[in-house]
Amino acid sequence: EVYVDRMDFHHLEYDENSFDVIYGAAILHHVDCEIVGKELYRVLKPGGVAFFRENSDRNPLLRFLRRLMFGQPGGFQKQKFLMIQRRGTNDEYPLTEEEVDILSNAFGGNLQRFNERFYFFHLLDYLIFKNKTIGKFFWNLDSFTGTIFPWIKKYSFLQEILLIKK
């Protein structure tokens, strides 16, 4: 069965051990991961998994630039720096390593991270150019970079997180 409900992610209205699989995209960086990690663990059945596609604060260059231009995580985020318009709410920030660690701890260390592709240069088009031709070039540059240097994928702006309840 597939369930679609709207509720506070910090206080899920489901019984313990309700789900085999939970999927989400671009959610975790909006929530208190300590509370949500415990809630996810509670509602998953033993052997269940939660899979999320999230942005990431893992890339040191992006992290430095973002903090320089818009502010620190946990505080007010400026909406614009020179010609670059920030996306998201004033308190929104990419998922930090600390938050990933909190989620991992909630699942007893049963967290795996994946980066199927390198997503970095395409972000420039999204933030600055907003041009399909340039965007396609940057998308291909990301693919090329990730293929030539597979180790760099861990610094992608996007990441996949798998939480497993043992």
Side-chain angles (χ1 to χ4, degrees):
E1 281 185 64
V2 175
Y3 295 97
V4 177
D5 283 328
R6 183 176 173 190
M7 68 186 71
D8 183 353
F9 202 26
H10 296 93
H11 307 286
L12 298 175
E13 299 169 9
Y14 298 110
D15 294 333
E16 291 183 18
N17 304 317
S18 292
F19 298 100
D20 294 308
V21 176
I22 297 172
Y23 172 80
I27 298 170
L28 296 176
H29 69 281
H30 291 281
V31 299
D32 181 328
C33 287
E34 190 162 355
I35 295 170
V36 168
K38 291 174 185 174
E39 280 293 281
L40 289 169
Y41 190 86
R42 182 183 67 77
V43 299
L44 277 173
K45 294 178 182 177
V49 298
F51 182 80
F52 294 91
R53 289 187 48 93
E54 281 294 324
N55 57 31
S56 172
D57 190 35
R58 237 175 148 178
N59 184 302
L61 178 60
L62 284 177
R63 183 175 52 245
F64 171 77
L65 291 174
R66 191 167 201 303
R67 290 177 184 190
L68 176 72
M69 294 186 304
F70 303 119
Q72 300 289 323
F76 178 81
Q77 301 288 298
K78 293 182 275 188
Q79 286 300 108
K80 193 169 187 177
F81 179 82
L82 300 176
M83 65 180 188
I84 302 172
Q85 180 69 39
R86 193 179 142 298
R87 308 287 179 166
T89 61
N90 289 340
D91 61 347
E92 184 177 346
Y93 197 86
L95 194 66
T96 65
E97 289 300 291
E98 294 81 12
E99 291 170 313
V100 173
D101 289 342
I102 288 168
L103 290 167
S104 180
N105 289 337
F107 278 76
N110 296 313
L111 179 143
Q112 297 175 23
R113 250 200 275 207
F114 306 94
N115 293 96
E116 293 299 319
R117 65 171 282 118
F118 182 62
Y119 186 87
F120 176 80
F121 299 108
H122 190 69
L123 183 61
L124 295 175
D125 177 56
Y126 178 74
L127 292 174
I128 301 170
F129 303 109
K130 299 175 187 86
N131 179 293
K132 288 184 181 182
T133 303
I134 294 172
K136 186 172 182 177
F137 169 76
F138 282 142
W139 185 264
N140 290 332
L141 183 58
D142 281 341
S143 294
F144 176 76
T145 304
T147 300
I148 300 300
F149 306 107
W151 56 268
I152 205 167
K153 289 180 183 179
K154 78 176 188 176
Y155 298 112
S156 175
F157 178 70
L158 293 179
Q159 63 185 329
E160 293 85 28
I161 295 175
L162 179 67
L163 300 160
I164 305 166
K165 182 176 181 178
K166 297 286 183 185

